[in-house]
Amino acid sequence: MSRPGTATPALALVLLAVTLAGVGAQGAALEDPDYYGQEIWSREPYYARPEPELETFSPPLPAGPGEEWERRPQEPRPPKRATKPKKAPKREKSAPEPPPPGKHSNKKVMRTKSSEKAANDDHSVRVAHEDVRESCPPLGLETLKITDFQLHASTVKRYGLGAHRGRLNIQAGINENDFYDGAWCAGRNDLQQWIEVDARRLTRFTGVITQGRNSLWLSDWVTSYKVMVSNDSHTWVTVKNGSGDMIFEGNSEKEIPVLNELPVPMVARYIRINPQSWFDNGSICMRMEILGCPLPDPNNYYHRRNEMTTTDDLDFKHHNYKEMRQLMKVVNEMCPNITRIYNIGKSHQGLKLYAVEISDHPGEHEVGEPEFHYIAGAHGNEVLGRELLLLLVQFVCQEYLARNARIVHLVEETRIHVLPSLNPDGYEKAYEGGSELGGWSLGRWTHDGIDINNNFPDLNTLLWEAEDRQNVPRKVPNHYIAIPEWFLSENATVAAETRAVIAWMEKIPFVLGGNLQGGELVVAYPYDLVRSPWKTQEHTPTPDDHVFRWLAYSYASTHRLMTDARRRVCHTEDFQKEEGTVNGASWHTVAGSLNDFSYLHTNCFELSIYVGCDKYPHESQLPEEWENNRESLIVFMEQVHRGIKGLVRDSHGKGIPNAIISVEGINHDIRTANDGDYWRLLNPGEYVVTAKAEGFTASTKNCMVGYDMGATRCDFTLSKTNMARIREIMEKFGKQPVSLPARRLKLRGRKRRQRG
């Protein structure tokens, strides 16, 4: 058993170190000889750095004993100066400049000159003179680990601006006078206002991160503040700067998070932020996160019961591009018989888009075996999905080697493709900022500023216009709708990553797919575009709405939190009315989404899976997030085996590619793959299914889908039409079918010549 952020990464590093022992470093990426060929990997040791010893801080507190905390050593990192926006005017005394964001999620806390001076001037506490600080994770305001009942404030403007809304990166609702506003805002603008957090146990507080109010119309943020701690919420100690109270510099605009490190870590149960100045044209409003290490409390049953543990020995950390490639290499070496690494193209900056294939016959499509994919990282700053997929490939490899019957069956009966990072350029930007300091949008878009999530061709409008003109299916099919020519031109505003995914999906006959996103806890299914052009929200179901609902529920219902009616909403939407699922268009309309494109242009049923409120959780939260999503990730893959499957062959037993499979009552068809095999996702029931192909006589069958896992076999043998047979015979003997009108004209001309 291992606790989040403690033993698990060490175990994973030991495992990887053993795997890579004796292997030298090689930094340059090697070019793969083939687009879908096995990558030749550079070998380099995994990251294990020497760590210096640090002194322990134990500041005095007015109430309750301060426990000694065994400090975990940390490698020193030089401060990095970030470009800061123009500072806003302040009302009170100026404060020292806050430290810039750190690169890594667990290495955020860096010292400023003011904090160093304060530490050296305060002779009442022990001070570490090394330029190294303890790295404590966030308490969990953004991840909702801190409940609403643990947040309190002096005054509030209204309920929608209460202390429970003072969470880092929380987003406001459309109407900013409702229950879901974008910050805590004090009821008065004076120096007696405060917001506090009850950690519910002794905690070593090390830093505070603040933002302004999330608002389209208003500019509200705090420009400086004091920090106080307490053990009983009555007697408070203010963090000192020498002999006086220390003033921390806050925000200079409302969205970029600003970290301030305490000059000396403070051990207490409560921490309070007391604004001292704010933007001249605004009011006291803020969002925040607290950095702190909870002290061990073996006697507290409540905390021990609620702490998440995991038995899976995986690499729980954030991986940059180089580390992601190295981890893929490790998995491939551990399970060479069931894994293959390939790339589907390159990003705008030239980074290869690597995918992991998991199959008992990697590198080939097996007739009758469905293809499944997971995609993550379309938004580069939504990194939880990326790490979950890297954990998934490790887990499947380990469990396959351990002969876990469920995983072995899944691998042997399914061809699985995992693309962890669709937007590696954006991720590298977010990684530089780190988990708490990147904000809500840093790294979201591609390097050339494109949102991949809605960069696909809008095929919905083409279909609906054709339906309105009654041109379906005569002129426009209800499936496999062609991509418009303008979209294929080089001058079109289409990301390189988008083009790579389209080519990938056209090459492989995917049946089911999930794209992992972040910032919410819900599974969204198509359509994502509203049919009424004047509406921004409208339930717009596909002809397969009943299937999509089941697919979405299969993930949501097995997630630890999505269907929990007691959980707090992430931002503004409560998805419990549909059991943690939502029709995309009824949530917010998006033209050109991956889900809609996949459904209308290929056979693949695609859903968007939002795996967490926090887009970029601290790596100490990764074990808990893995436990939240592990079962769902596996269950969703298993759904590829629901419905019917089979072969469409001619009378000689040869598979017929591009044969159309129609289900009576469902106005959406699919097509067979190159070998004539097909898979049609359906819920349990009896269906009338027709297979047809050009030049062949259609065939119809009744196919029954049961409740047990496993698709029902439903094969078709098609006979050629009479005209097709005549053409085949004539072509075989080097002749063409006779055209009677042409022959009559030829005979008439011959007779005229004879008369003349």
Side-chain angles (χ1 to χ4, degrees):
M1 301 292 282
S2 59
R3 299 183 185 276
T6 54
T8 304
L11 291 174
L13 289 175
V14 170
L15 174 64
L16 294 174
V18 172
T19 306
L20 298 176
V23 182
Q26 184 179 4
L30 302 179
E31 293 294 330
D32 53 345
D34 182 65
Y35 187 76
Y36 282 87
Q38 178 72 35
E39 176 71 0
I40 302 174
W41 293 94
S42 62
R43 298 172 179 265
E44 54 193 33
Y46 231 73
Y47 302 92
R49 298 171 175 143
E51 299 173 330
E53 296 183 359
L54 300 180
E55 294 184 34
T56 305
F57 295 107
S58 182
L61 287 173
E67 287 188 45
E68 288 291 326
W69 176 254
E70 184 175 347
R71 173 181 296 277
R72 186 173 63 185
Q74 177 75 25
E75 182 189 12
R77 297 182 61 86
K80 180 177 179 181
R81 182 68 60 186
T83 302
K84 305 270 301 177
K86 186 176 180 181
K87 296 180 181 179
K90 301 174 179 54
R91 292 192 173 186
E92 303 295 329
K93 70 169 71 174
S94 59
E97 182 177 349
K103 282 189 178 182
H104 304 290
S105 61
N106 64 331
K107 298 180 179 178
K108 295 285 193 304
V109 186
M110 295 182 293
R111 305 186 68 163
T112 61
K113 293 182 180 179
S114 60
S115 62
E116 291 174 358
K117 182 179 185 301
N120 291 329
D121 290 345
D122 191 349
H123 301 290
S124 63
V125 295
R126 295 178 60 193
V127 179
H129 294 283
E130 296 87 354
D131 190 28
V132 179
R133 296 305 309 270
E134 176 181 11
S135 175
C136 280
L139 291 187
L141 276 75
E142 185 176 4
T143 61
L144 306 183
K145 188 175 181 180
I146 295 295
T147 68
D148 290 351
F149 301 104
Q150 294 174 257
L151 297 171
H152 308 280
S154 52
T155 60
V156 298
K157 277 192 175 181
R158 59 174 181 271
Y159 178 78
L161 292 168
H164 65 291
R165 302 295 293 177
R167 301 172 180 272
L168 194 72
N169 285 321
I170 203 163
Q171 302 296 293
I174 298 176
N175 302 313
E176 295 187 16
N177 58 353
D178 57 12
F179 287 130
Y180 301 111
D181 220 317
W184 160 70
C185 289
R188 302 186 304 272
N189 290 338
D190 58 48
L191 300 181
Q192 281 67 54
Q193 304 307 308
W194 49 262
I195 180 172
E196 71 179 44
V197 180
D198 176 6
R200 287 183 173 169
R201 62 194 294 183
L202 283 179
T203 301
R204 183 176 293 273
F205 298 114
T206 61
V208 177
I209 302 172
T210 59
Q211 277 174 315
R213 177 179 176 178
N214 176 249
S215 172
L216 293 174
W217 320 110
L218 300 173
S219 296
D220 298 318
W221 60 82
V222 171
T223 55
S224 67
Y225 58 88
K226 294 181 182 179
V227 176
M228 296 176 281
V229 295
S230 172
N231 277 350
D232 59 6
S233 77
H234 296 291
T235 305
W236 293 87
V237 172
T238 303
V239 175
K240 300 292 184 180
N241 183 6
S243 59
D245 295 345
M246 184 169 184
I247 306 295
F248 294 92
E249 184 174 358
N251 299 86
S252 55
E253 58 87 69
K254 56 189 174 184
E255 287 299 336
I256 299 177
V258 173
L259 165 68
N260 274 295
E261 175 188 35
L262 303 188
V264 174
M266 307 289 283
V267 176
R269 171 175 169 173
Y270 301 88
I271 185 168
R272 176 179 287 185
I273 310 303
N274 171 215
Q276 295 296 296
S277 63
W278 45 93
F279 181 52
D280 278 338
N281 297 323
S283 57
I284 298 178
C285 294
M286 65 188 309
R287 294 173 285 171
M288 67 177 185
E289 181 63 86
I290 305 297
L291 303 183
C293 298
L295 300 188
D297 190 2
N299 297 321
N300 192 319
Y301 171 74
Y302 173 82
H303 294 303
R304 285 186 285 113
R305 182 187 62 182
N306 287 278
E307 286 179 346
M308 174 59 63
T309 58
T310 180
T311 58
D312 296 328
D313 186 15
L314 307 174
D315 189 19
F316 294 105
K317 62 165 288 187
H318 288 296
H319 300 80
N320 61 22
Y321 182 76
K322 181 180 179 181
E323 293 166 341
M324 179 187 74
R325 294 174 55 250
Q326 189 68 14
L327 180 60
M328 289 179 172
K329 171 185 178 295
V330 170
V331 172
N332 181 236
E333 290 182 344
M334 289 178 62
C335 297
N337 295 330
I338 63 167
T339 61
R340 180 176 71 102
I341 315 299
Y342 66 98
N343 76 82
I344 69 169
K346 292 183 178 180
S347 71
H348 184 272
Q349 290 287 87
L351 298 178
K352 293 180 181 179
L353 307 177
Y354 287 109
V356 181
E357 177 192 343
I358 305 175
S359 170
D360 58 339
H361 292 87
E364 63 179 276
H365 170 73
E366 298 179 69
V367 177
E369 186 171 289
E371 309 245 6
F372 175 94
H373 74 248
Y374 271 131
I375 299 174
H379 294 151
N381 64 329
E382 295 171 8
V383 306
L384 177 55
R386 168 193 178 109
E387 295 306 328
L388 287 175
L389 293 189
L390 292 177
L391 292 168
L392 178 65
V393 297
Q394 296 175 66
F395 178 79
V396 171
C397 172
Q398 291 181 6
E399 294 301 302
Y400 184 85
L401 294 178
R403 306 309 295 171
N404 180 321
R406 182 186 185 189
I407 299 301
V408 170
H409 181 267
L410 183 64
V411 171
E412 292 179 349
E413 299 298 324
T414 319
R415 191 181 182 204
I416 303 165
H417 303 257
V418 177
L419 180 64
S421 186
L422 177 55
N423 181 8
D425 298 346
Y427 174 81
E428 291 302 304
K429 291 181 182 178
Y431 185 80
E432 283 295 313
S435 67
E436 282 71 57
L437 301 183
W440 189 250
S441 60
L442 179 65
R444 174 184 176 91
W445 300 280
T446 64
H447 187 267
D448 49 344
I450 297 175
D451 187 341
I452 298 176
N453 197 47
N454 57 354
N455 190 225
F456 294 85
D458 174 14
L459 305 181
N460 306 59
T461 302
L462 295 177
L463 173 65
W464 295 335
E465 288 178 351
E467 288 179 347
D468 293 339
R469 294 193 300 266
Q470 298 183 346
N471 287 335
V472 176
R474 184 168 53 89
K475 292 185 177 181
V476 178
N478 64 11
H479 69 297
Y480 270 49
I481 301 174
I483 298 175
E485 292 185 7
W486 66 264
F487 188 90
L488 301 174
S489 68
E490 294 184 0
N491 296 328
T493 307
V494 182
E497 297 86 347
T498 305
R499 296 186 189 276
V501 169
I502 291 176
W504 185 47
M505 299 187 73
E506 289 179 335
K507 183 180 181 69
I508 299 177
F510 291 117
V511 179
L512 177 62
N515 57 88
L516 272 55
Q517 301 190 45
E520 267 297 350
L521 263 177
V522 68
V523 181
Y525 54 89
Y527 289 121
D528 290 329
L529 180 65
V530 295
R531 185 153 188 170
S532 303
W534 60 87
K535 293 184 178 180
T536 58
Q537 292 178 315
E538 179 186 41
H539 184 75
T540 310
T542 66
D544 284 288
D545 189 59
H546 58 298
V547 178
F548 276 114
R549 284 177 178 271
W550 168 255
L551 293 172
Y553 184 70
S554 70
Y555 193 100
S557 62
T558 48
H559 190 279
R560 288 185 62 253
L561 298 176
M562 277 190 190
T563 55
D564 186 352
R566 300 168 297 175
R567 77 171 181 88
R568 183 194 185 282
V569 299
C570 291
H571 299 282
T572 63
E573 302 284 348
D574 186 358
F575 299 106
Q576 292 307 312
K577 59 182 179 293
E578 292 189 45
E579 299 286 353
T581 68
V582 67
N583 172 252
S586 67
W587 182 14
H588 56 262
T589 183
V590 174
S593 74
L594 173 58
N595 293 349
D596 291 1
F597 169 80
S598 179
Y599 182 68
L600 296 176
H601 184 67
T602 75
N603 286 341
C604 185
F605 284 41
E606 184 91 18
L607 292 85
S608 293
I609 303 169
Y610 294 80
V611 291
C613 303
D614 188 352
K615 291 183 177 183
Y616 196 155
H618 190 273
E619 67 181 29
S620 63
Q621 293 295 318
L622 293 179
E624 181 171 354
E625 294 294 354
W626 168 246
E627 289 294 325
N628 289 342
N629 288 275
R630 178 184 57 192
E631 180 66 15
S632 301
L633 289 167
I634 298 170
V635 166
F636 188 71
M637 286 192 289
E638 292 173 334
Q639 304 313 305
V640 76
H641 295 284
R642 286 198 176 274
I644 60 174
K645 68 176 182 179
L647 286 168
V648 180
R649 294 172 286 198
D650 60 18
S651 56
H652 301 290
K654 183 179 179 181
I656 303 174
N658 289 320
I660 299 174
I661 306 297
S662 301
V663 178
E664 187 177 281
I666 302 177
N667 187 27
H668 181 80
D669 304 333
I670 64 164
R671 299 197 182 194
T672 57
N674 291 334
D675 298 308
D677 47 351
Y678 77 91
W679 307 263
R680 187 29 163 122
L681 296 177
L682 293 168
N683 284 346
E686 185 174 356
Y687 299 91
V688 178
V689 184
T690 300
K692 54 188 176 183
E694 185 177 355
F696 292 86
T697 303
S699 175
T700 301
K701 286 185 176 181
N702 288 340
C703 301
M704 176 69 71
V705 178
Y707 287 90
D708 295 334
M709 184 62 69
T712 301
R713 190 67 183 256
C714 202
D715 296 330
F716 294 89
T717 300
L718 304 185
S719 301
K720 291 189 175 181
T721 61
N722 291 334
M723 182 58 69
R725 289 178 179 175
I726 292 173
R727 288 174 179 167
E728 187 179 59
I729 293 172
M730 298 299 290
E731 289 174 357
K732 183 177 181 180
F733 293 98
K735 298 179 181 180
Q736 298 295 326
V738 176
S739 175
L740 295 180
R743 184 168 185 177
R744 290 195 189 100
L745 290 174
K746 188 175 181 180
L747 291 174
R748 288 174 185 173
R750 187 181 299 174
K751 289 180 180 179
R752 291 194 192 98
R753 288 193 296 273
Q754 290 175 352
R755 290 173 185 170

